Amino acid sequence: YKLEGDIQRLIDQSVQKYESKFESALNELDRKGNRSIYISLLLSLFGILFSIIVFLILRRALIRPIDNILETVDLFIRTGKGEATVFNRDELGMMAESFNRFSMNLRETIQDLRQEVKGRKAVEKDLLKLKDILSSIVDSMPSVLIGVNGDQMVAQWNQAAVRETGIEKTDALGKSVVD
């Protein structure tokens, strides 16, 4: 992770910088013998080390779980798979558990929808076959058959209607029955 590497590099640089300052301050103290400056520098160094330790603890407690959730979300977006690791039972752990439940429900919903689409495609295929059969029957009837929908538009026009009226099926369909 880039963030952890950057943080570690900053920590190393800070420690090296303060080590050299501490070393030169100690040398100065040895020459002057000023104990209060020595104690002040020592306390400053401990303060810096304490801050670094607290930072590392916070990084472990906050950044690692957040990185894990972000990586899992990215994996889920790309592949539809992935489960966040729950590190603790805190807010971040609850967020990871919530994401895991959400992703599981979403996968189940997608699977259900795929089954529904598959079933509907099969029904659509059967309906198209039935439509073709019924169209063949209607077209082969010796009587004129003109079907009209609720808007009084021609919805069916068989071959007998073409022979009797001289109007082609493509010209009649969708036109008003009054025309």
Side-chain angles (χ1 to χ4, degrees):
Y1 308 132
K2 183 178 181 332
L3 182 60
E4 286 184 25
D6 290 344
I7 292 169
Q8 189 62 46
R9 188 174 23 76
L10 285 171
I11 290 170
D12 291 343
Q13 288 173 353
S14 295
V15 168
Q16 287 174 355
K17 182 172 122 181
Y18 285 105
E19 279 179 350
S20 69
K21 285 185 178 185
F22 187 70
E23 183 84 26
S24 64
L26 281 178
N27 290 336
E28 182 70 25
L29 285 176
D30 285 342
R31 282 187 272 144
K32 291 185 177 179
N34 193 344
R35 279 196 165 278
S36 63
I37 293 175
Y38 176 73
I39 292 171
S40 176
L41 284 174
L42 192 58
L43 289 174
S44 296
L45 181 61
F46 284 129
I48 291 169
L49 290 175
F50 179 75
S51 298
I52 291 171
I53 290 169
V54 168
F55 175 76
L56 291 173
I57 291 169
L58 287 176
R59 181 183 70 168
R60 179 171 170 75
L62 294 176
I63 295 175
R64 191 170 121 211
I66 291 171
D67 281 346
N68 175 262
I69 292 171
L70 291 174
E71 288 171 4
T72 304
V73 168
D74 184 52
L75 178 67
F76 186 79
I77 289 169
R78 286 185 285 112
T79 66
K81 299 175 184 172
E83 187 170 310
T85 303
V86 179
F87 290 99
N88 297 308
R89 294 284 174 207
D90 58 3
E91 290 84 358
L92 290 173
M94 290 173 19
M95 187 165 63
E97 287 175 347
S98 180
F99 173 78
N100 290 340
R101 282 192 306 275
F102 166 76
S103 64
M104 182 180 68
N105 289 339
L106 185 58
R107 283 191 296 268
E108 289 171 359
T109 301
I110 289 170
Q111 185 61 31
D112 292 345
L113 288 172
R114 284 183 178 143
Q115 291 297 323
E116 179 76 20
V117 167
K118 186 177 179 180
R120 287 182 182 221
K121 283 184 178 181
V123 168
E124 181 183 10
K125 184 178 176 183
D126 292 343
L127 286 173
L128 287 173
K129 285 180 186 178
L130 184 60
K131 180 184 173 202
D132 289 343
I133 291 169
L134 290 174
S135 285
S136 294
I137 292 170
V138 167
D139 276 345
S140 65
M141 291 175 64
S143 302
V144 172
L145 180 69
I146 300 172
V148 179
N149 66 18
D151 295 330
Q152 301 300 312
M153 305 297 269
V154 176
Q156 184 64 41
W157 190 270
N158 72 352
Q159 288 301 318
V162 172
R163 281 191 305 275
E164 290 294 322
T165 64
I167 300 172
E168 291 296 320
K169 183 177 185 175
T170 55
D171 294 332
L173 292 177
K175 300 289 191 300
S176 171
V177 76
V178 178
D179 294 340

